[in-house]
Amino acid sequence: MSERSLLLGLIGDDIALSRTPPMHEAEGLAQGRPTVYRRLDTLRSGLKGRPLVEILHAARDLGFDGLNITHPHKRAVVELLDEIDDDVRRLGAANTVVIREDGTLVGHNTDVSGFRSGFLEGLPDAETGTVVQIGTGGAGTSVASALVGMGVQRLLVSDLDPVRAQELVASLNRGAGRQAAEALPQDQLEPALQACDGVVNATPMGMPAHPGTSFDTGLLSPRQWVAEIVYMPLRTQLLEEAAQRGCRTLDGGRMAVFQAVDAFRHFTGLEPDVQRMREAFLLASS
């Protein structure tokens, strides 16, 4: 195993509060691979307005070993990569780019595997006959793919943009080879929430800049589970209210940790310690 240091980075808008850098730096150090992880904020002077391809190639030329990609670049980066995995090909979005020694850029999507691992750990044996997902943005697309891949029988997808919801449903059903997903019109959301086994919030609602909940939590009952992708704060208003109604809950921190775990594996070829990376995440969140 090489003991040289690692240089990693995160490309995205407004990423000063990201918990990803400390997770990778702590795990790299623990594995004998001292790691420097830089935030490449595309809203800050020096990078603002520069083409993504230019930033990507500059990182490659400067010796970066890998990059995480976040909003709003997960889709745009795909056409700039030399190789992509099956999840990226199916979803048209990448959040992890490995930079090989020969300069080849290889794209992966660890949001899919991250949500799946977090769900299986945090909500074992959860009923997944019918699930409602609210939100179809970049992370929402990955979450929906994970849910269908986990065997959810009927995924009802709701979004304020019905066209985007229908496009996601068509993509999911095509990839699954079955009618796994349906677009859920807004006027049918309330009865669907009351009847489903579980609900996933895949919108930014719950973050400090987007307070509140994406639906009326008064519709929930104790037999249901509720999952979040928001991890700042870790306990959102949605999760607090769902827990008060007796629901099992899954916080967004699990997806955040497991996507980083899988990305670290891609970057290094080493097997990460999940608990150690979770502890680094929680420390950064405190």
Side-chain angles (χ1 to χ4, degrees), residues 44-232:
R44 298 187 65 179
S45 59
L47 292 182
K48 187 175 183 179
R50 293 181 66 177
L52 179 60
V53 64
E54 191 176 299
I55 299 171
L56 197 65
H57 288 176
R60 178 195 62 194
D61 296 344
L62 288 169
F64 277 71
D65 298 287
L67 299 163
N68 285 124
I69 312 294
T70 190
H71 177 79
H73 307 297
K74 291 182 182 182
R75 292 190 179 278
V77 76
V78 174
E79 64 182 24
L80 306 177
L81 303 176
D82 301 306
E83 297 178 19
I84 55 176
D85 70 11
D86 289 340
D87 283 331
V88 175
R89 185 173 293 105
R90 184 173 68 255
L91 298 174
N95 76 324
T96 299
V97 177
V98 174
I99 304 175
R100 293 179 180 160
E101 290 187 5
D102 64 0
T104 301
L105 304 175
V106 184
H108 304 275
N109 190 311
T110 67
D111 284 335
V112 177
S113 57
F115 181 83
R116 179 174 59 244
S117 296
F119 187 95
L120 294 174
E121 179 191 64
L123 289 174
D125 305 319
E127 291 292 334
T128 55
T130 300
V131 175
V132 172
Q133 177 178 314
I134 302 177
T136 62
T141 298
S142 298
V143 168
S145 178
L147 289 168
V148 170
M150 287 161 49
V152 168
Q153 296 173 29
R154 187 172 179 235
L155 179 63
L156 304 178
V157 178
S158 174
D159 195 276
L160 294 176
D161 183 343
V163 173
R164 189 165 68 175
Q166 191 58 59
E167 289 175 347
L168 174 58
V169 163
S171 175
L172 290 169
N173 290 340
R174 188 166 54 249
R178 64 184 177 96
Q179 292 300 113
E182 303 171 30
L184 183 64
Q186 290 295 302
D187 61 0
Q188 296 179 28
L189 179 58
E190 184 172 320
L193 287 168
Q194 292 173 312
C196 69
D197 296 306
V199 188
V200 181
N201 174 51
T203 79
M205 292 292 291
M207 296 178 67
H210 304 277
T213 63
S214 58
F215 64 92
D216 178 5
T217 57
L219 300 170
L220 296 171
S221 64
R223 67 175 182 80
Q224 296 170 304
W225 53 264
V226 176
E228 268 280 17
I229 66 165
V230 172
Y231 66 85
M232 293 185 292

Side-chain angles (χ1 to χ4, degrees), residues 8 20 24 67-68 95-96 98 108 110 113 257-269 272 277:
L8 306 174
T20 299
H24 283 280
L67 299 163
N68 285 124
N95 76 324
T96 299
V98 174
H108 304 275
T110 67
S113 57
V257 169
F258 276 106
Q259 65 80 23
V261 165
D262 292 343
F264 185 88
R265 188 181 293 113
H266 285 305
F267 290 145
T268 66
M277 293 188 75

